């Protein structure tokens, strides 16, 4: 369901960019925003139902309530308070990010096991600290950079912000429908990097 939620979030962000470019300020009126917000809540809640089922008792859980309003932010806060940079063994952001964007057969020719390399991402290496779960936590790009390179990693965020700004400018200047659709999808994908995993984003790009 993480893949479903990610796809839905990219879709809405890309759709917003596309409509803002093609319809302009028309979509910023109160009625449009209210309808859009309600529609987004319904769709996102539907994803939660797919994950938890229709068992009403499940929704009394504090974890599920937190997940509905933003599990990734909760994970980020928890991880920053619990861990220190370089504390997690086998965590290698660069290696996992690289492997997620390269075909497994190409990596095999380079002597790299793709699955083992991806398992060096934060979500996998934090798994032992959480009982009963297949995965650890998702802290987003900021958290992953912090735990990999301490505060030095946050300089990359500045570059990332410039990239998002540049793409936003290209969306505004786009002349063809193809480039507008393509850039809107890229823009939406980059924005959710702050709540998703680097391996997911790079894997989706490639």
């Amino acid at each position: 369901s993480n893949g479903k939620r990610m796809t839905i979030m990219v879709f809405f962000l890309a759709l917003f960019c596309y409509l803002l470019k093609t319809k302009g300020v028309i979509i910023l009126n109160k009625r449009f925003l209210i309808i859009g917000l309600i529609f987004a809540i319904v769709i996102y809640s539907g994803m939660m139902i797919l994950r938890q089922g229709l068992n009403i008792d499940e929704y009394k859980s504090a974890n599920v309530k937190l997940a509905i309003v933003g599990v990734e932010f909760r994970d980020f806060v928890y991880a920053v308070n619990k861990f220190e940079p370089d504390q997690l063994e086998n965590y290698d952001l660069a290696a996992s990010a690289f492997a997620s964007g390269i075909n497994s057969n190409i990596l095999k020719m380079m002597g790299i096991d793709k699955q083992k390399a991806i398992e060096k991402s934060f979500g996998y290496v934090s798994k032992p600290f959480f009982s009963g779960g297949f995965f650890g936590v998702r802290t987003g790009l900021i958290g992953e950079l912090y735990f990999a390179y301490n505060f030095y990693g946050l300089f990359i965020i500045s570059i990332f912000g410039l990239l998002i700004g540049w793409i936003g400018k290209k969306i505004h200047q786009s002349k063809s429908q193809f480039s507008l659709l393509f850039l809107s999808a890229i823009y939406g994908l980059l924005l959710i990097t702050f709540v998703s995993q680097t391996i997911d984003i790079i894997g989706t790009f490639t």
Side-chain angles (χ1 to χ4, degrees):
S1 60
N2 181 48
K4 297 183 184 71
R5 290 193 307 148
M6 176 176 163
T7 303
I8 287 294
M9 291 169 70
V10 172
F11 168 76
F12 278 119
L13 288 168
L15 179 63
F16 180 79
C17 293
Y18 179 81
L19 291 176
L20 190 61
K21 168 65 177 177
T22 56
K23 303 298 182 181
V25 295
I26 295 176
I27 71 166
L28 296 180
N29 68 71
K30 186 181 295 185
R31 178 182 296 180
F32 182 91
L33 292 176
I34 291 175
I35 293 175
L37 180 61
I38 293 174
F39 184 70
I41 291 174
V42 170
I43 295 297
Y44 193 86
S45 299
M47 293 296 101
M48 289 301 301
I49 293 174
L50 287 176
R51 168 176 286 186
Q52 301 295 336
L54 293 174
N55 185 357
I56 302 300
D57 291 334
E58 278 292 321
Y59 295 90
K60 297 178 181 179
S61 165
N63 286 338
V64 173
K65 291 176 181 177
L66 284 170
I68 291 174
V69 298
V71 63
E72 289 81 7
F73 178 71
R74 181 201 62 191
D75 288 348
F76 173 79
V77 173
Y78 179 85
V80 169
N81 287 321
K82 184 175 179 62
F83 306 117
E84 295 289 337
D86 303 323
Q87 181 181 348
L88 294 171
E89 295 184 8
N90 300 321
Y91 177 45
D92 192 331
L93 174 61
S96 60
F98 174 77
S100 66
I102 306 296
N103 182 274
S104 58
N105 292 321
I106 296 176
L107 290 174
K108 189 178 295 184
M109 290 188 291
M110 300 168 61
I112 300 174
D113 185 311
K114 178 165 184 166
Q115 184 59 36
K116 288 183 178 179
I118 288 178
E119 288 178 359
K120 293 181 179 181
S121 65
F122 190 87
Y124 282 99
V125 299
S126 63
K127 180 173 62 174
F129 297 94
F130 301 88
S131 59
F134 172 75
F135 209 66
V137 295
R138 294 184 291 271
T139 63
L141 178 64
I142 295 176
E144 290 181 333
L145 288 170
Y146 169 68
F147 289 114
Y149 310 114
N150 209 323
F151 286 102
Y152 296 107
L154 300 184
F155 286 109
I156 301 176
I157 296 296
S158 300
I159 300 174
F160 195 78
L162 290 172
L163 175 61
I164 292 178
W166 179 78
I167 293 178
K169 184 177 180 180
K170 288 295 182 182
I171 290 175
H172 181 69
Q173 297 175 341
S174 61
K175 302 298 182 182
S176 69
Q177 188 175 47
F178 175 80
S179 64
L180 178 58
L181 288 170
F182 178 75
L183 290 173
S184 294
I186 296 297
Y187 191 77
L189 190 59
L190 289 176
L191 285 181
I192 66 167
T193 300
F194 292 97
V195 294
S196 187
Q197 303 168 87
T198 303
I199 57 174
D200 285 345
I201 300 299
I202 294 179
T204 302
F205 264 123
T206 54

